[in-house]
Amino acid sequence: MARVSLAPPPTLLHRLTQWYTKRTYGKALDPVKALAHNLRVLWGTMRFEQSVSKWNRLDPGLRALAEMATAAAIGCSWCMDFGHWISRERGIAPEKVHDVPVWRGSDAYTPLERDVMAYAEAMTATPPTVNDGLAERLRDRLGEPALGVELTAMVAVENLRSRVNSALELTSQGFKDSCDAPAAAADRVRTSTK
């Protein structure tokens, strides 16, 4: 059960965001409902997400894998669930989306995709554990605008999303019934916060 009510006051902004998310994603999104308790936070988040959606230096498939690897490392079932839908929209192969939580043991990924997911996990660790070799490989393959700026910023954005959603106990909304983060990742996060 969410730690905040998912029935915020029916302000004009909240009603507009519900209309938009239902039209775009087929349902009102729980994170939007949660943030609607503070309209400045909701408005700021909406403007920020609008800006993030215009970033275009990183391949959309690599971006999706980085987002999902970050969400899996944190253990955010809502983000994994929604990430499945987003990945499908971006044309990511279903086996790649399905295997993100266990990507190290999967044959579905290219070396570049593996490096992107390793970077996302290393950056998500507390403290971050990104090493020079990994950063150099990615910089050589992607270039500085995509790696040094966009991939790094995208992983940071997904950390924000996943940590907010996890802290508020927002869980899957049914975008993909079987794409929850593995229980081990969620248990690791819960144990470290106790």
Side-chain angles (χ1 to χ4, degrees):
M1 180 171 207
R3 291 191 169 122
V4 295
S5 164
L6 298 180
T11 64
L12 177 60
L13 179 59
H14 180 236
R15 290 194 316 269
L16 286 172
T17 58
Q18 279 197 307
W19 171 82
Y20 174 79
T21 60
K22 283 179 185 176
R23 183 172 168 245
T24 306
Y25 308 111
K27 58 182 82 180
L29 305 181
D30 287 352
V32 173
K33 293 177 196 175
L35 295 181
H37 287 284
N38 184 319
L39 295 181
R40 287 184 182 199
V41 173
L42 176 60
W43 180 249
T45 300
M46 288 173 22
R47 291 181 56 189
F48 178 67
E49 288 289 351
Q50 208 171 31
S51 176
V52 168
S53 73
K54 294 176 184 168
W55 297 352
N56 64 3
R57 291 298 186 102
L58 185 62
D59 173 80
L62 294 176
R63 176 181 173 156
L65 292 174
E67 289 171 318
M68 288 190 71
T70 301
I74 291 170
C76 180
S77 69
W78 194 94
C79 296
M80 290 298 292
D81 183 44
F82 189 69
H84 185 278
W85 186 87
I86 290 290
S87 295
R88 186 181 63 234
E89 292 294 308
R90 291 180 182 162
I92 311 296
E95 62 275 6
K96 288 185 179 188
V97 176
H98 179 267
D99 285 358
V100 167
V102 294
W103 68 267
R104 290 180 190 281
S106 173
D107 295 329
Y109 305 103
T110 67
L112 176 59
E113 291 168 336
R114 289 179 173 288
D115 279 349
V116 165
M117 290 187 288
Y119 187 82
E121 283 185 359
M123 204 180 134
T124 300
T126 303
T129 59
V130 175
N131 66 55
D132 290 340
L134 177 58
E136 286 174 26
R137 283 194 311 275
L138 285 167
R139 187 176 54 242
D140 290 346
R141 293 287 308 276
L142 300 174
E144 289 185 352
L147 163 70
V149 179
E150 195 163 322
L151 176 59
T152 301
M154 201 62 248
V155 172
V157 167
E158 188 56 40
N159 264 271
L160 170 67
R161 294 172 181 152
S162 291
R163 290 178 188 279
V164 167
N165 292 342
S166 291
L168 294 178
E169 291 264 323
L170 301 179
T171 58
S172 302
Q173 273 190 264
F175 286 98
K176 174 64 173 115
D177 293 337
S178 63
C179 77
D180 286 341
D187 289 343
R188 195 171 57 245
V189 170
R190 284 190 196 102
T191 304
S192 69
T193 61
K194 289 184 180 179

